[in-house]
Structure formats: structure tokens, C-alpha cells
Amino acid sequence: MALWRGSVCAGFLALAVGCVFLLEPELPGTALRSLWSSLKLGPAPVPPGPLSPEGRLAAAWDALIVQPARRWRRVAVGVNACVDVVISGVKLLQALGLSPGTGKDHAVLHKRSDLGEAFVHFMGKGAAAERFFSDKETFHDIAQAASEFPGAQHYVGGNAALIGQKFAANTDLKVLLCGPIGPKLHELLDDNVFVPPESLQEEDEFHLILEYLAGEEWGPFKAPHANRFIFSHDLSNGAMNMLEVFVSSLEEFQPDLVVLSGLHMMEGQSKELQRKRLVEVVNSISDIPTGIPVHLELASMTNRELMSRIVHQVFPAVASLGLNEQELLFLSQSASGPHASLSSWDGVPDVGMVSDILFWILKEHGRSKDRSSDLTRIHFHTLVYHILATVDGHWANQLAAVAAGARVAGTQACATDTIDTDRVSLRAPQEFMTSHSEPGSRIVLNPNKPVVQWHREGITFHFTPVLVCKDPVRTVGLGDAISAEGLFYSEVHPD
């Protein structure tokens, strides 16, 4: 009888500990194993499912990412496109005879020394940046050296082309791409991307992508994160030459989603041309039939006047925005938004501050009862987390959209089809406040429930961490892939 009672007790204890595994997977495994061992019940059982926070988070994403009820069928993308020449920044600059010197930002690069100073300035911060190189001949010489450099790789480049290429991976989508498409770029594009004949040109526009690895050193500079510095002498994209071709192609193509990018390329143009072109951009967008949402993808900028004009003139004409932490802070500084006195982010951008700026953009420049703006959605992405902010009543499936955007950041950076939990790490803040402008909520991160939601005056925020690739294969185009994936899973409510 005693033996029978002991067996029953052991059985109940086994069941109890098993329940703990199921209900509290976050409880340290060592504590559970110690409990089992102290009861002398033999080998500890293996808890179900992935053990690591990264594994639990990836599994939770997979369960959350569902297709929208109404899916896009035809997506039109324009208007910046080029060939990216990707190369090690330190190795190229050394080959050009440059030394690390002192870091210094330059709004426009005029000579080789400007390039060296700007590169190490951003490398030391681990921050992405993009600059215009004003001297055509010097840029041509550098571009030729980069293209012929051992290990240099040629890829589809330009936000529009990269977003179009990402959409084209979904074979049930028809994708139109308008931009300056030269022979090399046309060769690199997916067969599922349709290019109007008017977009084809005899020569390619080249952008040089100087990459650096996390921990890479050059002189006194050490990169805290893997990232890239982009520069070009790109006149076709800078003048947005394909804008009219893009808009005129829409009537025949009949898209149900339009993606616009390339406004940042106008920084190399005169103020007069910038002002004229922005008016033409807004007029062109207004020609797009009502009910077709327009997404605007931003990129690195240094001209505050141009950014301010984009905020006040273009934002009300588009339904959705995509941007990163550098662009978000610069936007706030240019248009006198929240936390504009902050010169730069100190490490990981503070979630509460980011939330405040996103809220301000939608409250001041988004749709409301008193404003005719179309802007109702912002997709913010930084290295370790993403936030989707939407005006209530206009978008659906945003929980899946933000999770899908974060998931593709981990897979594309590591060049894997699915999240490889051994190659990624969870670096998002373990707890944070949702606002600093008003009393916000305190959020504690839970890998089993990776998408956090909060509301503020008719605006809903969806937050999720990113599983950061430990040894990224390629950093270029991640933001474009994130925005495209988020849009792919998004559903817009018809007005």
C-alpha cells in the first residue's frame, strides 16, 4: 500500500511540475530542474516548445502573422532606382589612400576627404546615413574603383526598386516599377516586376554602399553596430525624372496600392527646383484616384528646410509613412516636434520618445475631424524594435503587419528563409514607458506575447522587438524590406 501511495504522489508531482512547464515557460529551467531533482523523481522532463527567448518569440510571431481579409492585387512603386555597389567601407577608403582622421558630418560631400570624415563619423555611431557627392568626375573615379574592387557586389538599389523587388517575391502580386532603369538594373530585377518602356535608359545610376561590421575598427573608431554609409552622384533620381512617367502609368496599370520614394534624393538640387518639384509631387499624388492608398518611404536627409516642406506639403497627401530612427528625429527637429532638442539618439532610441513623436505626427499632420489629411499610418523601424502607429478606424491586421516586418528584418539580415534562433539575439529594452510627454504605461517585455498594444487619443500603437542578426550578411535594403512586408500584411478600410 505504501509503495502504491508513493507512486501516486510521484505521479501527481510529475503532473504538477509538467503544468508549471506549460503555464510558466519563462521560469528558469535551472529552478524547475532543481525542484524535480530534490523530489528524486529521476531525469527532468524536457519542457515543450523552444526554450530560448528568441525561440519563443519567433514561434509567437508565426502564430500571430495571418493574411489580411482583403489583400493587395496590384502594387505600383516609384520613383528612385539604381544599382547598389556593396563593398567594405574601410577597405575601399584605405585603397583610396584615405586615413581615418577625425569624424565629421558633411551635408554634401565635395571631395574624398569629406567622404572619409563622414564615413567614420557615422561608423563610430553605428548609424546609417546617405549623402550626395557633388563632384561628378571624382565620384565616377571612386565608383569605378569600387565596382572593380575584389569582393564588390552589385544589387538592385534605390528604395522604390528594393520595395518593388520585395513585393515581387509574392507571385500572386503584380508589380509595376517606375524609375531610371539602366541595363544592369533591368538584368537584376525579378521577372515579376513590370517596367514601362519609358522608364528604360541607356546608363545605370550607381550608388556606393560602404558597409561595416559590428565591432569593426579603423583608427580610433569602432562600430557599435553593423550598418552602412551610402553616397552617390545621382541626377536622374535627384530630379525625380520618372515622376510623370510613374503617374501616367497608373491609369493603365490600375493599382490598389501605390508606394512612393525618392524625395530625399532632391537634396542635391537647388532650393527653387526642390520647391517646384514638391508642388508637382503633391499634384501628381492628387491625380491618383481616391481610395488607392499611397505609402511614402523616407530616407536619410540633412536639409531641414526640405524635410519641413515634405512634412507640411506631402504628408497630408499620403496615407502611410515608413521611416527609421535617424529620419524620425530629424523630422521632429525640422518641424519643431517633441524631443527636438535631442541632438541624436543615445544608443537604442527611447520607446517613449519615439512614441511621442509618432503621436505628434499623426495628431498634427494626420487625418482628423478638423483636417482633410490622408495620413493615418506610420511604420517606424530601428535595429532592435518596430512600432506601427495608426489612426483608429482606417487600418486592419496591423498586429500581423508589425510582426511580419520584424520577422523579415531577422531573416533578411541573416540571409535565411526562417528565423535561425542560434544566429539572432533579443536586444530590445526589457521594460519601457510608452510616453514621456504625458503619464504613460510601463511595459515589461514578454517573448511569449511579443506584440504590445497601447492607445492614445484615437491612435493605436503596436510594438514588437526585433531578433537582431548577430553576423549580418547584408544590411542594405532592410528598411525597404520591412516596410514592404508590413504593407503586404496590412489591410486598409475603404473610406
Side-chain angles (χ1 to χ4, degrees):
M1 181 67 73
L3 180 62
W4 179 83
R5 283 198 301 269
S7 298
V8 172
C9 289
F12 276 119
L13 285 168
L15 180 62
V17 175
C19 288
V20 172
F21 274 125
L22 286 169
L23 298 175
E24 292 294 340
E26 298 144 284
L27 193 63
T30 52
L32 291 169
R33 286 193 295 272
S34 176
L35 170 62
W36 190 272
S37 177
S38 68
L39 295 171
K40 299 181 180 180
L41 298 175
V46 177
L51 283 173
S52 69
E54 290 81 4
R56 300 204 309 273
L57 194 150
W61 276 343
D62 289 342
L64 292 172
I65 298 172
V66 296
Q67 296 283 351
R70 293 172 61 248
R71 299 171 62 180
W72 314 112
R73 297 170 296 105
R74 307 171 76 87
V75 180
V77 190
V79 292
N80 63 324
C82 64
V83 174
D84 280 345
V85 181
V86 182
I87 189 171
S88 162
V90 171
K91 289 179 181 177
L92 176 64
L93 295 183
Q94 287 174 332
L96 293 173
L98 294 170
S99 59
T102 56
K104 181 182 178 183
D105 189 14
H106 293 272
V108 176
L109 309 178
H110 299 290
K111 52 188 184 293
R112 293 188 182 203
S113 59
D114 291 351
L115 170 62
E117 289 176 349
F119 174 79
V120 294
H121 171 79
F122 288 101
M123 175 183 168
K125 295 176 180 291
E130 187 167 348
R131 295 292 180 265
F132 180 78
F133 202 106
S134 64
D135 189 296
K136 178 181 179 180
E137 296 303 322
T138 302
F139 176 79
H140 181 268
D141 292 342
I142 297 173
Q144 186 170 0
S147 284
E148 297 170 356
F149 198 82
Q153 296 172 301
H154 296 77
Y155 294 101
V156 171
N159 307 90
L162 285 163
I163 290 172
Q165 192 85 327
K166 186 64 182 175
F167 273 123
N170 304 285
T171 54
D172 55 344
L173 266 181
K174 295 188 183 301
V175 180
L176 171 79
L177 172 64
C178 285
I181 314 291
K184 180 65 176 177
L185 178 55
H186 203 196
E187 174 191 321
L188 292 169
L189 285 171
D190 191 291
D191 291 340
N192 199 30
V193 175
F194 171 70
V195 178
E198 298 86 354
S199 276
L200 299 174
Q201 58 183 42
E202 293 182 0
E203 293 185 354
D204 286 285
E205 295 286 357
F206 288 94
H207 288 206
L208 303 189
I209 318 295
L210 308 190
E211 293 196 322
Y212 49 85
L213 302 174
E216 186 170 0
E217 297 182 38
W218 193 29
F221 300 93
K222 183 176 181 179
H225 311 293
N227 223 316
R228 75 286 188 277
F229 182 86
I230 304 175
F231 68 105
S232 67
H233 179 83
D234 186 338
L235 299 179
S236 295
N237 286 306
M240 298 190 75
N241 286 342
M242 293 297 166
L243 179 64
E244 285 75 19
V245 171
F246 182 46
V247 175
S248 64
S249 301
L250 298 182
E251 184 175 355
E252 181 180 350
F253 185 71
Q254 293 190 324
D256 44 19
L257 172 65
V258 172
V259 180
L260 176 67
S261 63
L263 298 185
H264 63 289
M265 296 298 300
M266 291 195 294
E267 286 197 315
Q269 307 297 320
S270 67
K271 287 185 179 181
E272 181 181 351
L273 182 58
Q274 289 173 2
R275 286 194 290 267
K276 177 185 175 185
R277 214 65 179 118
L278 279 184
V279 171
E280 291 167 346
V281 166
V282 174
N283 290 339
S284 296
I285 295 173
S286 67
D287 289 338
I288 297 172
T290 303
I292 300 175
V294 179
H295 172 88
L296 174 64
E297 190 69 14
L298 295 180
S300 178
M301 293 179 64
T302 60
N303 186 323
R304 292 196 177 193
E305 182 179 345
L306 176 59
M307 176 59 91
S308 179
R309 287 182 178 277
I310 290 171
V311 171
H312 290 94
Q313 292 176 234
V314 184
F315 278 18
V318 301
S320 174
L321 294 177
L323 75 175
N324 69 15
E325 76 278 9
Q326 303 294 331
E327 296 138 22
L328 184 76
L329 183 57
F330 184 69
L331 185 162
S332 191
Q333 292 167 342
S334 302
S336 303
H339 313 297
S341 60
L342 192 67
S343 60
S344 63
W345 299 111
D346 184 14
V348 174
D350 182 278
V351 177
M353 290 183 174
V354 168
S355 174
D356 289 337
I357 301 174
L358 296 176
F359 176 79
W360 166 78
I361 295 172
L362 290 175
K363 275 296 179 184
E364 291 296 318
H365 303 284
R367 184 177 300 187
S368 68
K369 293 179 181 178
D370 305 320
R371 193 182 303 109
S372 60
S373 170
D374 287 335
L375 182 60
T376 50
R377 177 184 184 272
I378 307 175
H379 191 167
F380 168 82
H381 49 87
T382 186
L383 181 68
V384 300
Y385 69 85
H386 296 171
I387 297 177
L388 253 172
T390 52
V391 178
D392 291 348
H394 299 283
W395 294 86
N397 212 43
Q398 296 302 279
L399 186 151
V402 74
R407 184 175 65 179
V408 82
T411 56
Q412 183 155 316
C414 285
T416 55
D417 293 330
T418 59
I419 293 288
D420 183 342
T421 55
D422 292 330
R423 295 182 58 190
V424 295
S425 61
L426 178 58
R427 303 183 195 172
Q430 294 302 298
E431 58 181 78
F432 56 86
M433 297 299 295
T434 59
S435 175
H436 290 290
S437 297
E438 64 173 30
S441 303
R442 177 176 170 272
I443 302 293
V444 178
L445 194 62
N446 178 357
N448 298 318
K449 298 178 181 178
V451 179
V452 181
Q453 192 176 146
W454 66 90
H455 306 274
R456 186 173 171 186
E457 296 181 31
I459 293 171
T460 297
F461 297 82
H462 289 89
F463 167 99
T464 194
V466 172
L467 293 175
V468 182
C469 188
K470 297 175 185 175
D471 186 19
V473 175
R474 185 166 178 249
T475 61
V476 178
L478 273 183
D480 301 307
I482 289 162
S483 288
E485 195 78 350
L487 283 168
F488 178 78
Y489 282 92
S490 290
E491 179 183 350
V492 66
H493 290 311
D495 291 327

